[in-house]
Amino acid sequence: MGTKTAAILLTACLLLSACTATKSEPAATSNHQDSVASDSSNNAKDQSSVSSSNSSSKQAGSDDHNSAGKTNAPNNKTVVESNETEVSASVATTVKKYHLDKAYNVIPNQQGSEKKVVLLTFDDGPKEAVMINKIIDILDKHKAKAIFFVNGYRVKEHPELLKLIHDRGQPIGNHSWDHIVLKNKTEVEVKKQIETVQKIVKDTTGQAPVFFRPPHGAGGDVGRKVAKENGLLYMTWSVGSLDWTMKKSQPNKTNALLKNVTEQLHPGSNILMHELPWTAEALDSLLTRLEQKGYQFVDPQSIEVPAS
């Protein structure tokens, strides 16, 4: 092979190599672009996936929140109902620290219970909302409870007043339907006088009375028997305020009432009062005077009653 031929062949090889290199560059560029496009596509898919995941997470979080809310509502309700049940159970199972003796005084069941106590009671209601509220306001001020002995005919006329007493947390007692002397009545008549009050009080407040006081303190053996059959604790009183003997025009009724009570006062006193304007007027002074003498106000729920 001559020098000329060799030169020609070398030139041809160089040209061929250049062409091959030129064709390879676009291919490489195309492959890079495809790779970038693929990465972008994958990134988009990943972002979409992340976005979808985040969206799902937010939705899940929202659902969890809503679900928590939905779950919490019944749970809160359950807690409230549970608390109400506990309160009801607490009321139902109040420790019976006291009983009444034959003179209707409040007596501790065991050593350690406070002896210097009084039981507050109000008869012949319910009468007037203003007076009831005034009496209960004073009781609340002194953290005291009292038994409100009601007559059936008054409850029939004004059931809202009975509900007022009950709603304000004061115990309600049975004082017969018509406020008549029961000791000379037949058992049928006495049952009607007592049991109709039991029914109307329960229908109005949801709770039947557990205390019974015969009108005029005269229930007789039949009254005791019927009261016991109805799960009622029979009582009269051991200290009378004599507020029922006072007249509207009588001066110094507050001082007279204070004197009447304090002169008879003794540990365990079962104090008889009435829903009367002058009694309501004197009540704050009376309770203050009792506290100053070292007396506490017994909760009627802590007194033993017959098993019904």
Side-chain angles (χ1 to χ4, degrees):
M1 181 181 298
T3 302
K4 186 176 181 180
T5 302
I8 292 170
L9 288 173
L10 180 60
T11 301
C13 287
L14 290 171
L15 290 172
L16 180 61
S17 177
C19 290
T20 303
T22 302
K23 288 180 179 177
S24 296
E25 284 178 10
T29 302
S30 174
N31 288 340
H32 177 71
Q33 287 174 344
D34 287 345
S35 177
V36 170
S38 176
D39 289 343
S40 298
S41 175
N42 288 337
N43 285 342
K45 287 180 182 176
D46 290 342
Q47 289 173 352
S48 174
S49 176
V50 170
S51 175
S52 175
S53 176
N54 287 342
S55 176
S56 296
S57 179
K58 287 179 182 177
Q59 183 63 40
S62 177
D63 288 344
D64 288 344
H65 179 70
N66 290 338
S67 175
K70 289 177 183 175
T71 302
N72 285 342
N75 284 346
N76 289 340
K77 184 177 180 183
T78 302
V79 170
V80 171
E81 289 175 349
S82 175
N83 288 341
E84 289 177 349
T85 301
E86 288 175 6
V87 169
S88 298
S90 176
V91 169
T93 58
T94 300
V95 177
K96 305 302 182 183
K97 297 180 179 179
Y98 300 93
H99 65 276
L100 298 186
D101 65 12
K102 292 182 179 179
Y104 309 112
N105 291 302
V106 180
I107 306 298
N109 285 339
Q110 58 188 14
Q111 287 186 340
S113 295
E114 178 60 48
K115 293 181 179 180
K116 207 170 182 182
V117 297
V118 296
L119 174 63
L120 306 173
T121 67
F122 294 87
D123 284 13
D124 297 358
K127 290 182 178 179
E128 300 174 9
V130 171
M131 185 161 54
I132 290 169
N133 277 319
K134 183 173 182 177
I135 289 172
I136 297 179
D137 284 346
I138 295 167
L139 292 173
D140 287 348
K141 174 183 175 181
H142 292 269
K143 297 180 174 57
K145 298 289 185 184
I147 305 172
F148 285 74
F149 285 101
V150 300
N151 295 123
Y153 79 92
R154 290 187 184 277
V155 174
K156 184 178 179 181
E157 291 171 356
H158 293 287
E160 75 281 1
L161 296 181
L162 182 76
K163 196 168 186 305
L164 171 61
I165 297 170
H166 174 76
D167 289 348
R168 294 206 58 182
Q170 296 295 329
I172 293 167
N174 186 326
H175 198 40
S176 86
W177 187 271
D178 288 312
H179 201 274
I180 58 175
V181 175
L182 298 177
K183 67 178 182 178
N184 296 323
K185 304 297 181 186
T186 67
E187 185 169 343
V188 171
E189 290 175 296
V190 173
K191 282 177 71 70
K192 184 177 180 180
Q193 285 289 320
I194 293 176
E195 293 178 357
T196 49
V197 175
Q198 291 296 97
K199 183 178 187 306
I200 196 171
V201 171
K202 186 172 183 179
D203 289 347
T204 304
T205 68
Q207 294 179 338
V210 295
F211 303 107
F212 173 69
R213 174 173 284 161
H216 312 287
D221 291 339
V222 174
R224 295 173 188 277
K225 176 176 179 291
V226 174
K228 186 175 182 179
E229 289 172 350
N230 284 272
L232 289 158
L233 176 62
Y234 181 104
M235 71 171 80
T236 59
W237 59 90
S238 61
V239 172
S241 66
L242 300 181
D243 58 354
W244 66 94
T245 66
M246 299 175 188
K247 306 298 181 184
K248 185 180 291 187
S249 59
Q250 179 179 331
N252 301 319
K253 290 188 288 293
T254 297
N255 290 335
L257 190 148
L258 291 172
K259 183 180 179 183
N260 290 338
V261 172
T262 55
E263 284 184 348
Q264 306 172 68
L265 190 62
H266 58 271
S269 292
N270 180 345
I271 303 173
L272 168 62
M273 295 175 282
H274 292 75
E275 285 186 29
L276 292 168
W278 43 90
T279 304
E281 190 66 34
L283 187 60
D284 190 27
S285 296
L286 174 62
L287 300 192
T288 299
R289 182 79 59 87
L290 295 177
E291 288 170 329
Q292 290 171 345
K293 290 179 175 291
Y295 283 88
Q296 297 181 19
F297 310 114
V298 69
D299 183 347
Q301 290 181 347
S302 68
I303 299 174
E304 289 180 347
V305 298
S308 56

